[in-house]
Structure formats: C-alpha cells, structure tokens
Amino acid sequence: CTALAAYAHECNLKGIPIKWRTPDLCPMQCDENCGHYDPCISVCPLETCDNMLVYGKLMGSCAESVCIEGCHVKPCPDGQVYKNSSLLDCVPKPACNPICLEVGTTIYYEGDLMEKDDCHSCYCSKGRQVCQGVPCTSSTVTTEETRTEPNTETVQCKPGWTTWINVNSKPGPKDSDFEPLPTSIIMAELPGSRCESDMIADIQCRTVDTHLTPKETGLDVECSLERGLVCTSRQDEDECPDFEIRVKCQCKETVTVSCDPSQPLEAHVGDCYLYHGCDKTDDGNSLVVKT
C-alpha cells in the first residue's frame, strides 16, 4: 500500500490524480459524518474564525500547491466558517471573533481592549495595537503602536524532544488553557534538548495529571506548530484541564566539507528524509543537512 501510494503521489505531482484505492485494495477509512476520501485534496487551509483576517494571503501563497490524497473535510454551509483549526464546528462569519495578536502568553481577539487609563485607550485591530489619546504618565502623543515581545537570547541547539513545558500552570479545570510555543528565553532554561523557534519540527500535548492526548479528552483542543496548545471549553463540554506541551528540536547540522554550489545536491547517509545542500557559511561553502 505504501509503494502504491508513493506511485500515486508521483502522478499527483504531474497533475494527474488517480483514484486507485477501493474497499478491497488499501482502503482509507474516512468518517462519513465529517468527510470522504479524495485522491486530490488541496493543501491550502480551510477558512476559520482564527485565520479569516489573513485568509486571502494564505490562499495566495498556496493556491498553486500540489494536491495530496486523504479525507476531504465537508465544507461549512454558505455564510459559515469553521470555528478553529479543529474543524469541528461551523459558525456564521459575523459570530467569529478572530485572533488579532498574541503577546507572550496572552491572546487578544479582534477589538479587544489591550490597555486603558483616564487619558488613553488601546485596542487590537488587524494584528496591531491601535491607541487613541496619550497615556496619563507620558507627554508623547501616540496614535498607533505595535507591541512586540523582546527576545534577544540565542539558544544553542540540542536535538530531540524537550522536557514537558507548562507555562500557564493552574491546577483544576478552567474555561480555557493556552500553552504557546516556547520562546528562546524559556528554551534557554530547559535541561536537555532545546532550540530556536525556527528549528521546532514537531509538538506533543497532554494533560498534566492524567497524560491524556487532546483527542482522548474529547474536548475542543488545538495542538499545532502554529499556535501551540489552545483549549476552549464550549457550553456543552467539560472545562479544560491543565495541559503541558513539549516540542521536537531538529538542529541544522553543518558538515565542514567544502562544496560547489553549482553541483547537484548530495544524499544523506542513513536518513532518506534528509539531504546535503551547499550553502555559504562563515568558513566558505559548506554542506548543510536539510529536510
């Protein structure tokens, strides 16, 4: 089945999808309530409340991408989008409250009040902090400001899974739980594996007490490399337990061998998912392991 799927994928790369699976030949089981098997599914994300502000840009960057086989998720009815990337609930677009900005461990939704005093107020709008007035303690007029979190610490990469991280530690159930991807400051304090954010290759999430995966909890939980762990309890669900995450660091290995950038790429010995590419480094052109 794996070999046939590989051949079919090559056909997809050439723009010729083939519906080769049958109930008797390497069947792929899809939940009939959620979707159906399709040999050619777009890799572009579906529109959700969380990405609707940047959905046009997302589609523009992946519209020409090659399709893949899998279970095709049923679209929402006209005028509705999925609530989040878990693709469980459809909601009317006007009912969406898209994420505007993430500052540290705090999530601001579109229109949220970010700060205020008697002299000024700041709201989140389209990924920025927009202010009106002047802070009472400041004589400088600020009309628009974007807040960023300083992070200048460099982390020496050590490959592998990090220890479990629980930034928002709070015993007992709660309405929501958010565990963002670890910053360089948090990474630098971890024992064992650690890396910068651009070297994070995978993520795992679980409950602190019972070590259940998000799927095993039956709750509306997102565990992704885009946002980390996000749990929001709905009215018909139990409250969110305390979650923790860990990430897998995949370091950029540099092989100190001189090379010619005009030559073909070289295979990686021992791992067919990696290869050697010739990149410019401080010591000249060197082979760098890439995925």
Side-chain angles (χ1 to χ4, degrees):
C1 291
T2 302
L4 289 173
Y7 277 104
H9 181 64
E10 290 299 319
C11 293
N12 276 351
L13 294 177
K14 301 296 183 182
I16 308 175
I18 299 175
K19 192 172 183 179
W20 62 277
R21 295 183 188 268
T22 69
D24 300 319
L25 176 63
C26 306
M28 179 177 288
Q29 300 296 329
C30 296
D31 188 340
E32 294 183 358
N33 294 324
C34 301
H36 62 277
Y37 169 74
D38 194 318
C40 185
I41 299 175
S42 172
V43 296
C44 296
L46 294 175
E47 186 175 14
T48 68
C49 286
D50 291 343
N51 68 20
M52 62 187 304
L53 292 179
V54 295
Y55 189 66
K57 292 182 179 179
L58 293 177
M59 292 299 292
S61 63
C62 74
E64 302 299 326
S65 298
V66 176
C67 64
I68 58 175
E69 71 165 349
C71 295
H72 195 288
V73 179
K74 289 183 178 179
C76 288
D78 290 341
Q80 297 187 19
V81 296
Y82 281 104
K83 183 179 179 181
N84 52 41
S85 60
S86 65
L87 307 181
L88 294 176
D89 300 316
C90 292
V91 296
K93 282 189 176 182
C96 282
N97 190 17
I99 291 178
C100 173
L101 192 64
E102 297 181 19
V103 181
T105 59
T106 303
I107 297 179
Y108 292 100
Y109 293 88
E110 187 71 12
D112 276 0
L113 178 66
M114 299 184 71
E115 60 181 60
K116 180 181 180 181
D117 60 22
D118 293 337
C119 308
H120 88 300
S121 58
C122 296
Y123 295 86
C124 199
S125 176
K126 297 182 179 179
R128 296 181 297 177
Q129 176 178 297
V130 179
C131 300
Q132 293 181 335
V134 184
C136 295
T137 57
S138 173
S139 59
T140 303
V141 177
T142 303
T143 57
E144 188 172 291
E145 175 187 354
T146 301
R147 181 189 297 181
T148 58
E149 185 181 29
N151 190 357
T152 58
E153 188 164 354
T154 302
V155 178
Q156 182 179 2
C157 186
K158 296 181 180 179
W161 287 99
T162 66
T163 56
W164 290 97
I165 304 167
N166 187 10
V167 176
N168 291 326
S169 177
K170 183 180 179 182
K174 43 195 172 181
D175 293 336
S176 62
D177 191 17
F178 175 56
E179 290 294 335
L181 293 179
T183 64
S184 296
I185 296 176
I186 294 176
M187 281 285 196
E189 298 176 353
L190 295 179
S193 299
R194 63 183 74 171
C195 59
E196 295 286 355
S197 59
D198 61 342
M199 299 181 190
I200 296 177
D202 200 359
I203 183 173
Q204 291 181 347
C205 307
R206 70 180 187 184
T207 57
V208 174
D209 295 333
T210 56
H211 294 177
L212 295 177
T213 65
K215 185 175 182 180
E216 290 172 334
T217 65
L219 299 173
D220 183 9
V221 181
E222 176 182 351
C223 181
S224 68
L225 290 176
E226 289 75 27
R227 299 176 59 197
L229 181 284
V230 180
C231 175
T232 305
S233 64
R234 297 178 295 186
Q235 292 182 352
D236 58 340
E237 290 181 335
D238 295 331
E239 293 185 320
C240 294
D242 195 17
F243 281 92
E244 59 187 359
I245 68 171
R246 67 174 183 173
V247 296
K248 186 176 183 180
C249 292
Q250 184 171 300
C251 303
K252 296 178 180 178
E253 174 188 346
T254 301
V255 182
T256 56
V257 177
S258 60
C259 57
D260 183 355
S262 65
Q263 296 300 314
L265 304 175
E266 296 185 18
H268 186 282
V269 178
D271 192 336
C272 61
Y273 291 99
L274 302 177
Y275 68 91
H276 293 290
C278 191
D279 284 1
K280 289 184 178 180
T281 65
D282 295 337
D283 300 323
N285 294 327
S286 299
L287 290 178
V288 177
V289 175
K290 302 181 178 181
T291 56

